[in-house]
Amino acid sequence: MTGVNDFVVKFANVNGSGSASANSFFAKALFRMGLPVSPKNIFPSNIQGLPTWFEVRISEAGHLARREGVDIMVAMNPQTYAQDVEEVVSGGYLIYDSTREREFGRDDINVLGIPIARLCAFAFDDPRHRQLFKNIVYVGALAGLVGIEISVIEQIIFEQFKRKEHLNDANLKALHIGLDYSLEKFKCPLPLRVRQSDAATGKIMISGNDAAGLGCIYAGATVAAWYPITPSTSLAEAFERYLNKYRIDECGRKLGAVVQAEDELAAVGIAIGAGWNGARAFTATSGPGISLMSEFIGLAYFAEIPVVIFNVQRGGPSTGMPTRTQQSDIIACAYASHGDTRHVLLFPSDPKECFEMAAEAFDLAERLQTPVIVMSDLDIGMNTWVVDPLEWDDSRKHDRGKVLDAEALEALKEKWGRYKDSDGDGIPYRTIPGTHPEKGAYFTRGSSHTEYASYTEDGLVNAKNLARLLRKFKTAMSMVPRPTINQRDENSKLGIIYFGGTDHAVREGLDLLERDGYRLNALRLRAFPFSPDVAAFAAAHERVFVIEQNRDGQMRSLLITEAGIQAEKLIPVLNFDGMPLSGAFVAGCIQSTIETNEHVANALRLSVRAV
Amino acid sequence: MTGVNDFVVKFANVNGSGSASANSFFAKALFRMGLPVSPKNIFPSNIQGLPTWFEVRISEAGHLARREGVDIMVAMNPQTYAQDVEEVVSGGYLIYDSTREREFGRDDINVLGIPIARLCAFAFDDPRHRQLFKNIVYVGALAGLVGIEISVIEQIIFEQFKRKEHLNDANLKALHIGLDYSLEKFKCPLPLRVRQSDAATGKIMISGNDAAGLGCIYAGATVAAWYPITPSTSLAEAFERYLNKYRIDECGRKLGAVVQAEDELAAVGIAIGAGWNGARAFTATSGPGISLMSEFIGLAYFAEIPVVIFNVQRGGPSTGMPTRTQQSDIIACAYASHGDTRHVLLFPSDPKECFEMAAEAFDLAERLQTPVIVMSDLDIGMNTWVVDPLEWDDSRKHDRGKVLDAEALEALKEKWGRYKDSDGDGIPYRTIPGTHPEKGAYFTRGSSHTEYASYTEDGLVNAKNLARLLRKFKTAMSMVPRPTINQRDENSKLGIIYFGGTDHAVREGLDLLERDGYRLNALRLRAFPFSPDVAAFAAAHERVFVIEQNRDGQMRSLLITEAGIQAEKLIPVLNFDGMPLSGAFVAGCIQSTIETNEHVANALRLSVRAV
Amino acid sequence: MTYMQKPKIRHPRLKKNDLGLTRRDYEGVLSTLCAGCGHDSVTAAIIEACFELQLPAHRLAKLSGIGCSSKTTAYFLSQAHGFNSLHGRMPAIATGANLANRDLIYLGVSGDGDTASIGLNQFCHAVRRRLNMVYIVENNGTYGLTKGQFSATNDKNSKSKKGGNNLFEAMDLCALAIQLKAGFVARGFSGDKAQLVPLIKSAMRYRGFALLDIISPCVTFNNHAASTKSYDYIRDHSEAVDKLDFVPAQEEITANYDEGQTVNVTMHDGSSMRLHKLETDYDPRNADEALMHIRKRYAEGEVVTGLLYVDQEEEDLHSLIETTERPLNELSMDELCPGSQPLEELNNTLR
Amino acid sequence: MTYMQKPKIRHPRLKKNDLGLTRRDYEGVLSTLCAGCGHDSVTAAIIEACFELQLPAHRLAKLSGIGCSSKTTAYFLSQAHGFNSLHGRMPAIATGANLANRDLIYLGVSGDGDTASIGLNQFCHAVRRRLNMVYIVENNGTYGLTKGQFSATNDKNSKSKKGGNNLFEAMDLCALAIQLKAGFVARGFSGDKAQLVPLIKSAMRYRGFALLDIISPCVTFNNHAASTKSYDYIRDHSEAVDKLDFVPAQEEITANYDEGQTVNVTMHDGSSMRLHKLETDYDPRNADEALMHIRKRYAEGEVVTGLLYVDQEEEDLHSLIETTERPLNELSMDELCPGSQPLEELNNTLR
Ligand SMILES: Cc1ncc(C[n+]2csc(CCOP(=O)(O)OP(=O)(O)O)c2C)c(N)n1
Ligand SMILES: Cc1ncc(C[n+]2csc(CCOP(=O)(O)OP(=O)(O)O)c2C)c(N)n1
Ligand code: SF4
Ligand code: SF4
Ligand SMILES: [Mg+2]
Ligand SMILES: [Mg+2]
């Protein structure tokens, strides 16, 4: 437990009770006070009546990863009292609805009872209001306890309900009931409290799915086809919202189409059909959807059709843990479909990068004429993150890749071949249906074909085409976003390779390790195929920890086979319990390996000697 | 080109012309003369009117791999004359229908014109007969040319048409027209000829799909669900045929069910439903089907339901080359479905092993309660192979694995948990619906679950279950068929790892290499996960060639990541033109690597020194 | 968290059926659906039907796909094996299970998303194969579990909780099933137990494919009718909090009405739908008339309930493909494996 | 081997349409189907229809799944882009393509396996979305390309070439499409060009989903009718050679008959089917009647051909979802990308 502007609050609720909104008011208020916050919604796979949690870490230092241990627990769900109480750190606080008082059996924590139900029963008549405003009451109480300026919350409530005055009033009433109660009954503020800061000034709060949906708008995507599945649903929904906001023509009609397909097979097929026909098109899904899409992904690979797929990963395998996070579809996506296939993957680390990579993905898909899969996850996609504001460079050109329009077709001297490698980069030129009355028509198919797109059963011709696809994949290496490298110590022989939403956890882990005297360098992968930087980084280190949120070390396997890194060098650090990673986990795993694994210890000695 | 009992005959035809049967009579006749033959049908993906080839290698020495270069070409398709003529080795023979005479522009081969169409026009009235019996005429001519005992072919024809005398007579007539013509016009037999042998005595001729379908019958499979797809169709059809033959009850009803499903998703789902309900069940498919099945395969993995899947591989990716062979679904099958999954794969090398592994697969699937995928391919599955007779040990017990029946449930002392690892091998006990009125009912699901099969969103409980599945996979290592090792030289530091239908090619390649002074050891993988023998073999060699029929060296990747073999050690030898492999290809690739790759040369030197 | 088993306290006064079982014995784990969800009413009706049928629970297998509706198989018949499979794939599992053991009763529960979208193909082909099962669609016109998208059975022009307008025509699963020659086709309403329980019982007794399309309102994302009434408490609130995260507990919607009558049923969001119960003299043996009846009433804005069609020729998949009368999963390996002798003979034919 | 382009020799005498194009200009590469295959007749009818419609070929997109039928898109309109997609997945491709550019004509060709089995779900939903396309099913009641398994449109009790008996009821795609509210539903016969060409032309002019279910006999695995006549040349032979590898060249089966008439069409295997052509005074605007007509005739063993149903309200997916009138694939990135200014504003709302 820490002190000012640095602690963790957790809310234990029942879902469907309206808590999510109230809890987000709380997080938003802290953010408005200039504090980096990282709200994590831990929700069940149902609609109403089951336990749900909302964790908010406040960290002026900007650590946005989860931190284990709860400083203030708002325990609103008697069903989970036992486990909730246990999570509170020694010296921490437990807030509960003391309308029915009870004991929690821990002397080392401070229990603050607030008779929330009773307060609501006095204040509201409508039984639904009594229920709903309990959430706002505890937010009010918390405001008093941790010292949030009440006007900040009032403003947030006002913005929410501006069109509905009666609700605004009721919310404010509830807020003050809680505030007044805490100010009156407890010594406010607690040692765990907040103070206005400028650590988050200028930043924004947004979820990855929201940002990715917006990124698709900015990328000029016009066709989205999807099938509902947690945690990707809100990405397609965001795209549709922004489409309605930014893309309505003079007649009130949309510059874009969104189709809720009958299933994932259709969803990706629609996107591929649109991509073939010259629209930027995408689908968004999650694990089971990827499995269902894999036949079509293979077609798009082989017929060379641009399409963008967002895989907002959740806990696998099978239906798995639909409301928990994992990075466990790496292999399934890198090699989706039967036969020899390889796909371009992008790994955003936060909502801002979701926005950027969404935009990037369409350029890549069209340049490379192949599926590009953006590997987000539940934590990035559905949680709200504090990030730098989104940026768009108006001078940026959308790169549509090698498309021959009517003029270019007219100007062509040599015979055009849809699958001919004229430039040596493995990327052929394509044409869009309807372009030219006589030139450029070709026949697209998933069966083996010649350079001129005719059907062939000549195995050597086909093998040559397959080899060109490999060449194209090699070209991709230099086109995809390069990794970012966090070089903390030139002499260190220990490194970390990681990717995606664990960025904050790894960075905090690095800090913790450095505090304990271990300095490691880190490389964050941003794409597959791997840029040569990755192998170089590995070569520069004796031992490299590969941090990933899956059971099988899937990225590590890819690094071994695709970046050619020796297996012994790569030490897996695996987490697959479905929760966002914490810095302590990273540091802990690495430190214990250093202390127990002689090779790692040797590498460490080498680093030290080098200093 | 070689001589007696050792040459290659190739037939170039148009499909739908009835040639396949005639050609197979030819191959069968040679087999009946005691000769190992390896017929390869090279057919187009259509029904009528396109070029098709049939290659027969005759090898008294028992080399059943393809051999490149044709000694006798029966060129019946003017469309492909050019390429067919080119394939004939110098000194070889070209037989063609000289009704319309023509030049072929090669002086180094012997052109034998037979006016086949004219002969048929004289002999038959019905225009269809004139067409159809052309095939038999050239078989008759060939019989004369290479010295097949005509009674052998007559017998084969008789067996075919015994119920249809008019056809028998017409066939015999055509046969003798050809025979007489060749005996009269040519100097028979040619130097390329056959002699009665006992090299194939006792053997049988069967295709892999036929043998696998029969294996399922012997394994006691009762439910088959499938969707037509080349080259797997004939497996399901064989099962149905044998079902009707061997499994009819007193009332004429079947002890088994075959369902042609609406698609592959349904097909595998039906098999899984039946497996869950205690029947031995399977499906058979090929690449695209595997992609479509992958969501369900993940379910069966996670819910731990036994199911057997035959993947008769064809040329990928996507629709690819449906009538050509490849081994390119290794990765797609080993890791089918999203999330952390790993599947048991079996790799039969010929029809006999298809039979055996089909039977084995059901035991494994039930012992391990997981999908088992039998990785056959078009060459093994659809071509007819000369193999040792099929054997069945009547004392063999079908191993149904850990199933609790009503008695066992009654006898249970501790609380039974469907996903509890009572034995430490990772394999839990299951029950079959309907077994007991009060005990053993549980809820199967693809979502995360406890040891007692209840739904859980507790990430640690789920992680524990996932870890158990890894333990189970480790158990599988010791249950699956072990590799076979061909230890040619204890001191050799060069090895080969391979699998599946390339067995004959590799063995012939080894012979060729040995002839040239290179002695290599070879290991044939028979299953994934890899038995420890595999890593041991790699450890015992400096460099190991990994021979596979795909572009990406998929098995090599698995060997690196799953058997922990160093990448540098494994040298890919890849073939992906869709044709069965030849020994010369194997030997050629390896020899040229030895001559150009210094590491390999070093390894060779090491081996020599050791001697 | 782990779902709890309901406490099995046996009230001595609870009525027992001939097997000595009470209604309690036909229950499952506690429902985790929203209070008032129509699906829970269907669960109750299933329990009642099984109780009245005196069913030995373990002789029934419960199958489902994915969705709120598909979860319900956990909420009844704890003593029966259950299989909560994949979204839209229950029919395949049911087909396989049924092939393996023709002697159990197969009860599938699905949703309208699960059946009419992702699962439509398997649904249609299970009908066509005359699979012997009871197929219940808990039809709420929405994707409950994924929070309220329109399903293919949703009426054109109805509004979703998020304000969107459904642009597509509703798919009528009963009409579709009749067209595909289902054996038994009925429609019920979750709140009308008097009609529902007998329908379930008849469906369970039917040999062949029995479809029960049950209108089952979703209290949270309910959007059955095209009503756009102005006062709408829930919608107002949920928009207000900007997350669809407040689900007030609702009462189950019920409707008791007589044969031949039409009633207006008011949904939780204030909208309404018109149910018409088939006349007592309706003859369900004529497929043409059943189809026309559904279509005509639909054109008048009414949804017909009751036993719409029944094919008295009770053929099922097993009789069609002529499998043995005994369950395949009970055949011994000795019976199934031909043994070495026939293999010898077969080898001979391959020479 | 690579398929050959037909030699483009322009006969000066060939009739030209107003675009100055001859029928030859509407051809594609050489067909690789069996001689006499009904699908080739359909191809010819499509060519004729496009010629008569004076279609600029490049403004049409040809889409298909996998199967003999699906191959035919290569055999007409070389100047049009073609997409031979995946088995059963043409409707999805068509949907995406159509969304990307509403101005082209989308002509999909599928088979009965491709549509009624693996592709049934996508087919039904394309209908429901009123996708503006012509959807042709070349319906031969069999899986031609995979050598003669029964398809779901095959009549119950017909026999396959390998001797098996079809045990399941035939699916009537026209009835299904009407039930799902398709806009335009017609049935034709490959051998009846006089009827077929006008049907194709009308379908192409229709805005919305237009289904053309075309009976198209397979010469190799034909098994349309339940006939079990004793003398059967082909079957006899093919059994005889024990591989289905002899496909004698056949004549195309044709049928010319008048409105209101019923004819017996003899198939290649000697079996027959009864076609009934709609009366001239048949009014195709009533869905109920169309359905009943199909069902009644079917009960009498007849297959009705002609324009069965047309919904005069020509709505399509674009009008329903209100996309802009311009093709989406022609919008410039400037129009599509809101630019930095709105992003600034959006950032502000996220603070
Ligand atoms: C392959 C796949 N796609 C999507 C989902 C997500 N999903 C879960 S339930 C559901 C819809 C449920 O709707 P319905 O069947 O109508 O059931 P309800 O919840 O309305 O009872 C969806 C789309 C999934 N589980 N699997
Ligand atoms: C996913 C998948 N499954 C199976 C196949 C194999 N296959 C190719 S064509 C075909 C059936 C074709 O039947 P139909 O659509 O009726 O066309 P026809 O050949 O009769 O014209 C099948 C099953 C495939 N290509 N892809
Ligand atoms: S969301 Fe709707 S369908 Fe799901 S449990 Fe709640 S009320 Fe029922
Ligand atoms: S197999 Fe049948 S459908 Fe296929 S091309 Fe031949 S005749 Fe036509
Ligand atoms: Mg629903
Ligand atoms: Mg067909």
Side-chain angles (χ1 to χ4, degrees), chain D residues 111-113 138 140-144:
Chain D
D112 43 329
E138 296 182 351
N140 54 13
T142 190
Y143 283 59

Side-chain angles (χ1 to χ4, degrees), chain A residues 295, chain B residues 227-230 264 288-289 292 314 319, chain D residues 39 66-70 86-87 89 110-115 118 138 140-146 149 151 218:
Chain A
E295 191 196 17
Chain B
Y227 188 71
I229 186 165
T230 309
E264 288 87 348
L292 288 173
R314 65 189 211 181
T319 304
Chain D
H39 300 352
I66 303 278
C68 294
S69 36
S70 292
L86 295 176
H87 192 30
R89 312 293 174 221
S110 178
D112 43 329
D114 203 60
T115 293
I118 192 167
E138 296 182 351
N140 54 13
T142 190
Y143 283 59
L145 191 56
T146 51
Q149 297 80 17
S151 84
C218 169

Side-chain angles (χ1 to χ4, degrees), chain A residues 28 31-32 159 202-206 210 214 217-224 242 245-247 249-263 265-280 295-297 299 303 305 355 366 388-394 397-398 400 416 431-447 450 454-458, chain D residues 1-5 10 21 29 56-64 66 70-102 104 106 118 121-126 128-129 317-326 328-351:
Chain A
K28 185 82 175 235
F31 170 65
R32 290 246 174 118
E159 287 166 20
K203 306 217 178 222
I204 61 169
M205 273 185 95
I206 192 169
D210 206 343
L214 186 66
I217 291 284
Y218 272 76
T222 50
V223 176
Y242 289 120
K245 178 168 179 169
Y246 291 123
R247 295 242 203 98
D249 73 7
E250 326 68 67
C251 322
R253 298 179 140 265
K254 295 165 196 164
L255 304 184
V258 181
V259 170
Q260 181 188 318
E262 58 272 35
D263 59 20
L265 293 97
V268 73
I270 292 170
I272 290 169
W276 171 76
N277 209 359
R280 290 196 150 184
E295 191 196 17
F296 247 135
I297 295 175
L299 173 75
I305 299 169
F355 174 78
E366 290 205 309
D388 286 333
L390 306 179
E391 290 159 306
W392 188 261
D393 176 356
D394 287 324
K397 283 261 163 291
H398 296 81
R400 307 290 314 259
W416 171 72
T431 59
I432 308 297
T435 300
H436 190 288
E438 279 145 29
K439 294 181 175 170
Y442 71 97
F443 206 78
T444 304
R445 48 161 69 78
S447 45
T450 68
S454 323
Y455 180 67
T456 183
E457 287 179 357
D458 182 326
Chain D
M1 70 137 262
T2 300
Y3 289 117
M4 289 142 285
Q5 196 76 27
R10 304 209 181 224
L21 300 173
V29 298
H58 73 296
R59 302 303 293 169
L60 181 145
K62 311 172 294 183
L63 311 159
S64 59
I66 303 278
S70 292
K71 285 181 178 186
T72 63
T73 44
Y75 310 148
F76 57 84
L77 271 64
S78 286
Q79 294 317 320
H81 272 66
F83 196 151
N84 186 211
S85 66
L86 295 176
H87 192 30
R89 312 293 174 221
M90 178 264 280
I93 294 293
T95 306
N98 184 302
L99 289 175
N101 184 354
R102 57 190 298 170
L104 302 187
Y106 294 92
I118 192 167
N121 196 358
Q122 298 206 344
F123 169 73
C124 292
H125 283 271
R128 188 170 168 267
R129 285 195 193 101
L317 178 56
H318 281 284
S319 61
L320 291 170
I321 64 174
E322 301 185 338
T323 33
T324 181
E325 297 285 348
R326 290 158 57 205
L328 294 177
N329 71 356
E330 288 176 12
L331 302 175
S332 76
M333 285 297 149
D334 286 349
E335 292 173 273
L336 295 173
C337 177
S340 62
Q341 187 53 42
L343 198 55
E344 282 296 309
E345 287 159 25
L346 187 73
N347 279 329
N348 277 331
T349 69
L350 299 169
R351 280 180 181 129

Side-chain angles (χ1 to χ4, degrees), chain B residues 291-314:
Chain B
S291 285
L292 288 173
M293 290 178 183
S294 71
E295 190 196 15
F296 248 136
I297 296 175
L299 173 76
Y301 170 82
F302 194 45
E304 301 180 63
I305 299 168
V307 62
V308 172
I309 298 165
F310 292 89
N311 178 11
V312 188
Q313 295 167 92
R314 65 189 211 181

Side-chain angles (χ1 to χ4, degrees), chain A residues 40 57 62-66 327 347-353 356-357 377 379-380 385-388 483-486 488 496-511 521-526 547-549 580-584 586-587:
Chain A
K40 303 285 179 201
R57 178 175 182 187
H63 290 311
L64 296 181
R66 258 189 91 225
Q327 303 174 314
F347 300 97
S349 66
D350 67 10
K352 179 156 196 210
E353 216 170 22
E356 291 163 356
M357 285 191 171
D377 63 32
D379 181 27
I380 306 175
W385 293 50
V386 170
V387 292
D388 286 333
T484 60
I485 294 179
N486 183 343
R488 296 202 163 207
I496 293 179
I497 293 183
Y498 70 103
F499 57 97
T502 57
D503 191 23
H504 279 284
V506 172
R507 287 200 266 153
E508 187 172 0
L510 286 168
D511 287 350
N521 300 317
L523 177 146
R524 178 163 71 82
L525 299 166
R526 302 209 303 149
I547 298 172
E548 43 190 323
Q549 291 183 295
L581 208 61
S582 71
V586 173

